[in-house]
Structure formats: structure tokens, C-alpha cells
Amino acid sequence: MRTLPRTLLARIAFRSFFLQASWNYRGMMSMGFLYAIRPGIDQLHSPGPAREAAYLRHLEYFNTNPYFSSIVMGVTLALEERLSRGEIGEEVIHDTKEGLMTACAAIGDGLFWDSWRPFVATVALVFALGNYLLTPLIFLALYNLPHLYFRFAGIFWGYREGTHVIRSLRQFQFPQIRQTLRLGTMVLLAYLIPNHVNVHTPFLLTNLPLEYFYFGEKVVQGFGALLLVTLGTFAYRARVDVLLISFLLMIFALVLYHWGILI
Amino acid sequence: MPEHLLASLLIALIGGIVDLDSTATWQFMISQPIVAAPLTGLFLGNLYGEAAAGLKLGLMVGVILQLVWIEQLPLGMNVPPDAALASVLSVALGFISGHSYESYSEREVCYTVALLLAVALGLLGRSLDMFVRRLNTNLDTWVCQKVEDNSLWAIAVGHTLGGFFTFTKAFIFCFLVVWLGVEPLKYFTQTLSFKHGSGFIVVQGLLPAVGFAVLASMVLKDREETRYFIGAVIMFTLLPAKIFLAFIAAGIVMYRAHKGAKK
């Protein structure tokens, strides 16, 4: 039987927003984890050695994806509840938490950092380069929909399903979602390159009849941008630092401008 | 209160709040350049009575920094360059130093120099971030000892202090950079020949190519995809530059990918 009320779980999910406030090289997110679940621990263990042991247990190393951390919190509280009833030992909590935090880190980091954030950023870039002043709001609204969903729903899943929560997570088919997002990002990038890298040369003005000028300008800009991006991609994949690439591009642009090739 | 001091305090406050979001708390991603830079531009522009100009500068800076650091991920022990502080400081330095110039090209020179300077400041911000994390490690050891001694209040105090260190670090850093950095930046841009100012506008137009290259390195996985990608770039070169076309194409590709994955 579950004893923690829903309001308390929601409060813990809210406290998980502060998970990384004291991020450090020893316990990483451990202090934040304990800070977040403390109301649950206080409710499950009466004051005394059991509660103190629970605190010390959760000051051990902890690191996961912050958006998926509430899932681990929910499962941990479910196990703490079973421990308080004497159904399991401490080592079960330790082992489960360790396994779950690694799984959630792998899923969450892959989904949010590697796929969702670049995709939403690219959507925002399309709007920003089109001079939409509300771009920051679009970015925030879009990005935070799944963030808040996993943050608040996660703790309830974790607490309700316990160690079976991984099975529920599998239903999302994260690899397919990531692949879809990557392809979407690719298409939006293909739109951005010819339209928002400004390659202008005076030769078209002097050599092309006016009726072909617009088309010629667009073609030169598109292919010039593609060439620059291709060179940049080769350099980046050859592990040249992005700042060095920017610096070289700046020198290149200033020299071409000085010679009158770019305007 | 002098306007420059007020602006420095405002930027310090924005820097502190935005830096808290980058890892320590919330992680709503207001710390992403595409949000942090326009936000700074809007507040600063309001202070100087040029809100629209500030917001536009913010968007320009946000786009470039978002692209340059799109692949920098806060995974595990990795501390990425402080894109949040770089965004805030780039807009602040560029806007305040450019504010005193009348002509468009003079302002653009200030904006571009501030942008390049801010990238270096982002790297310095990373070192400060690592310093705070080392402080937090000492804090973590202290909290563990206190909990063992049954002083449970130390958990909340230690955790809050961690967040306080992050905010204070960003606040002081931003304040000092803006308070002391505007005049040297003005002096430096004056020493650059403004007759070549348009060269910096050319640089600004080409800089997105570096970010697009980084993004392309991230999303393109094999040769076949690269071929499709180049085809898409050529298609968007020839099509009119309409945002809805980009989203329709992305929608079709994502739908097909999702359907293919289901099969």
C-alpha cells in the first residue's frame, strides 16, 4: 500500500528543480537528491537512527539526467517505503538507484541534450533568422513541454511502478523519436544554410543582366554557403576548435572584402 | 544613480539569474543564447529607450552563439563554455559601447567585436564554473560530516549555499566586465578603421556558417544522408525563402521517418 500523498510527490518534483544547485565533484547531485526527497524520507521514517541512516544513504554519489531525476526519486521513495516496512534491505535501494540513475542518464541525455535541444534550437533559429521577435518564447514553450511532463509525471510513475518503471519508459521508443528529431533538424538546417549565410559579391551586379540578378544572387549565396559549411564541417570533424574556425573565417572574410570580392 | 552603474547592476542581475538556470536550478533553458541574449537586449534596450534595437541585437547574438555552442553538452563531469554569460555579456558590451555611436556601421563594429570578446569570456566563465564546483565539493564534505553528527539542518543550508555561490559568481563577473569593459571596448573599436567597418558586417553575415557546420557534423551520420542533405540544400536554394516551406518539408520527413520506424 502506498502512503505518500500526491501533493507531497508533486512537492518533491518541484524541489527537483533545484537538484544541481550544489553540483560537485564528489557526490555530484547527491546533496540535491537528498534535498529533493527529504519530505518523503521524513514521512516514511520516524526521527531516529532509521531516518539518519536514510539521509546518509542518499548522500552517496548520484548523477543522472536532471529531467529524468524525478523518476529515480519516485522509485527510491517506493523502495524506502518497503524498507520502512522491513520488506527489503538497504542494499536493494543502493543497487536499484545506481542502475536506474545510469539508465535514466543514458535515455534522458540522449533524448534531451542530443536530440530535443538541437531540434528546438534549430526551429528557433528558423524563426530568429526570419526576424520573429517572439522566438525566445517559442523556444521556451516548445522545449519545456516534454521537460515539465517528465519532471512531474516521472515521480508518479516511479512511485507507482517501482522498479518496473523501465518497462513503461520502453513504450516511448526513444531511439525512434531521436532518429525522427535528427532528420527534422537536418531538413531545417538545409533550409537555413542557403538562406541565412550572407555571401554577396559585386561581380553579379556588373556581369549579369538585371532580370537574372535576383536568381544569380540566390544561387551564388546558396552554393557559396554550402561550400563554406562543407569546409567548416570537415574542419570540425578534423577536431579543429570551433573558435579557431570562426577566427579563420573572420580573416578570410576581411581579406575577401578588402580585395572587393565580397560585399 | 549613473546610467552606466545602473546598466552594470541590471546585467549582473540578469547574468546571475540566467547562470542559475544553466545547470544549478530549473533548467528551463532561459540560459540558452537564443533566449538569454534577446532577454538581455530587451531589458537593456528598455533602460536606454531603444527596446526594439536591443531585442534585435539580442536575436543576432543569440543565433550565432546558439549555433557555435550547440554541441556543448553538460554531461557528467564535462563543463561546457558558459554560453549563458557569454550571451549576456556580448549583448551588454555591444549595446552599451555601440550606443554612443551614430552610424550603423560603427555600431555593427562594436557588436561584432563584443561578440568575439564574449566567446573568450564564455571560456573564462567555464573556469569560474569549475571553481564553484570545487567550492561545492568542500561544501559536500562539510554537509556529510554535519549529517553524521545529526545536524540535519546542514542539508538545506549546504544546498542553498551551492546555488548562492553560482549566482554570486555570475553576478560579480558580469558586473565587473560591464562596469570596467565598456570603455576599453569603445577605445579599441575607435582604433579600428571605421572605413573598413562594412568588413565586419560581412564577417557577421558569414559567422552562422560556422554554427551550421557544427550542427551538420552533429546530424549527418552517413554518406547517403549527406547526399540527401546536399539535395535538400540545393532545393531550398532554388525555392523562395519561406519559413512555412521549411516546416512543411521537415514535417513530411519526420512523419515518414516515424511511420518507417513503426513498420
Side-chain angles (χ1 to χ4, degrees):
Chain A
M1 198 187 102
R2 302 288 185 216
T3 53
L4 294 181
R6 292 176 70 83
T7 48
L8 185 93
L9 292 174
R11 197 172 139 214
I12 291 168
F14 180 76
R15 284 166 80 105
S16 79
F17 280 118
F18 303 94
L19 178 72
Q20 299 191 90
S22 54
W23 197 102
N24 61 79
Y25 292 114
R26 197 195 67 88
M28 290 202 172
M29 303 173 180
S30 59
M31 226 194 298
F33 186 83
L34 176 57
Y35 170 80
I37 63 165
R38 194 177 166 184
I41 297 279
D42 287 351
Q43 181 122 350
L44 293 170
H45 299 289
S46 48
R51 187 184 285 185
E52 205 178 308
Y55 285 158
L56 285 171
R57 195 161 45 241
H58 296 297
L59 276 175
E60 282 174 8
Y61 170 87
F62 180 77
N63 188 36
T64 192
N65 179 272
Y67 303 140
F68 275 56
S69 63
S70 58
I71 296 174
V72 188
M73 288 173 189
V75 175
T76 305
L77 287 171
L79 293 175
E80 283 289 347
E81 195 173 278
R82 290 179 65 193
L83 177 76
S84 69
R85 292 199 297 260
E87 293 172 12
I88 55 168
E90 278 186 24
E91 69 287 348
V92 176
I93 298 180
H94 175 268
D95 294 347
T96 309
K97 199 174 135 189
E98 201 168 87
L100 201 59
M101 77 180 181
T102 313
C104 283
I107 298 170
D109 288 348
L111 179 69
F112 277 97
W113 300 147
D114 200 38
S115 307
W116 183 240
R117 197 176 75 171
F119 175 73
V120 178
T122 314
V123 170
L125 288 169
V126 170
F127 282 115
L129 288 164
N131 280 327
Y132 281 79
L133 297 181
L134 293 177
T135 301
L137 293 180
I138 296 170
F139 176 89
L140 287 177
L142 200 55
Y143 184 84
N144 285 301
L145 279 175
H147 161 205
L148 294 175
Y149 175 72
F150 281 109
R151 182 86 78 171
F152 283 98
I155 193 151
F156 293 106
W157 296 338
Y159 185 62
R160 192 176 58 235
E161 298 184 25
T163 48
H164 300 300
V165 74
I166 286 288
R167 213 181 306 156
S168 305
L169 283 176
R170 278 207 194 111
Q171 290 169 357
F172 281 96
Q173 299 186 318
F174 290 114
Q176 285 88 331
I177 293 176
R178 288 181 59 190
Q179 167 81 349
T180 305
L181 290 171
R182 190 172 64 78
L183 292 174
T185 309
M186 199 172 89
V187 174
L188 294 176
L189 179 64
Y191 164 81
L192 286 169
I193 289 172
N195 291 310
H196 295 293
V197 178
N198 296 321
V199 184
H200 300 294
T201 172
F203 299 124
L204 293 179
L205 255 178
T206 48
N207 296 323
L208 267 186
L210 206 57
E211 60 267 32
Y212 297 119
F213 173 74
Y214 174 73
F215 182 72
E217 172 95 342
K218 212 165 177 317
V219 169
V220 167
Q221 169 152 333
F223 283 93
L226 184 59
L227 180 67
L228 273 179
V229 172
T230 307
L231 290 174
T233 307
F234 278 126
Y236 191 73
R237 284 190 170 167
R239 298 190 182 279
V240 181
D241 190 77
V242 70
L243 298 180
L244 182 61
I245 301 173
S246 308
F247 183 71
L248 291 175
L249 181 77
M250 191 181 87
I251 302 288
F252 169 76
L254 286 174
V255 169
L256 290 189
Y257 172 76
H258 184 72
W259 289 342
I261 297 171
L262 287 179
I263 49 169
Chain B
M1 196 185 284
E3 198 175 40
H4 183 50
L5 177 63
L6 191 64
S8 305
L9 285 171
L10 176 73
I11 293 306
L13 187 66
I14 295 173
I17 293 170
V18 159
D19 205 46
L20 271 179
D21 179 79
S22 68
T23 41
T25 57
W26 316 311
Q27 292 204 300
F28 289 129
M29 293 295 134
I30 56 168
S31 53
Q32 286 295 297
I34 197 73
V35 182
L39 189 79
T40 310
L42 183 67
F43 279 104
L44 204 56
N46 258 323
L47 187 70
Y48 285 87
E50 290 180 34
L55 190 56
K56 275 189 179 166
L57 169 65
L59 271 183
M60 186 274 285
V61 169
V63 163
I64 291 172
L65 291 182
Q66 185 73 50
L67 278 167
V68 167
W69 280 322
I70 203 159
E71 209 187 19
Q72 296 289 342
L73 306 172
L75 298 177
M77 303 281 262
N78 179 42
V79 183
D82 204 327
L85 289 190
S87 312
V88 171
L89 291 173
S90 174
V91 175
L93 290 174
F95 188 86
I96 300 172
S97 57
H99 183 68
S100 55
Y101 294 113
E102 287 296 321
S103 81
Y104 169 74
S105 70
E106 286 169 342
R107 286 183 169 204
E108 289 297 316
V109 174
C110 284
Y111 297 163
T112 312
V113 173
L115 182 65
L116 295 171
L117 183 66
V119 172
L121 291 172
L123 297 177
L124 182 60
R126 167 165 56 188
S127 304
L128 291 174
D129 221 5
M130 287 156 83
F131 172 71
V132 167
R133 288 175 183 210
R134 277 198 292 273
L135 279 182
N136 286 348
T137 307
N138 294 334
L139 206 58
D140 186 65
T141 313
W142 176 77
V143 169
C144 286
Q145 278 169 358
K146 284 286 173 192
V147 172
E148 278 173 19
D149 297 343
N150 210 14
S151 304
L152 303 179
W153 51 266
I155 301 164
V157 171
H159 192 56
T160 311
L161 268 178
F164 176 75
F165 288 158
T166 304
F167 177 84
T168 312
K169 173 255 311 182
F171 187 91
I172 294 173
F173 182 57
C174 288
F175 180 79
L176 288 179
V177 168
V178 178
W179 179 242
L180 302 173
V182 169
E183 285 308 316
L185 184 69
K186 267 190 207 171
Y187 178 75
F188 177 71
T189 45
Q190 268 166 2
T191 57
L192 292 171
S193 171
F194 277 129
K195 69 180 177 194
H196 293 304
S198 309
F200 282 91
I201 301 172
V202 172
V203 172
Q204 218 181 72
L206 291 181
L207 270 179
V210 180
F212 293 152
V214 175
L215 194 54
S217 306
M218 264 178 95
V219 293
L220 297 174
K221 297 287 181 201
D222 54 43
R223 284 188 177 187
E224 195 187 348
E225 273 184 16
T226 308
R227 278 199 292 274
Y228 280 121
F229 177 70
I230 291 172
V233 173
I234 294 170
M235 181 186 84
F236 281 118
T237 300
L238 302 174
L239 285 171
K242 299 285 182 200
I243 288 177
F244 73 88
L245 290 176
F247 284 118
I248 289 173
I252 293 170
V253 168
M254 288 171 82
Y255 176 72
R256 287 179 63 92
H258 184 67
K259 251 182 113 177
K262 266 190 172 175
K263 274 180 190 171

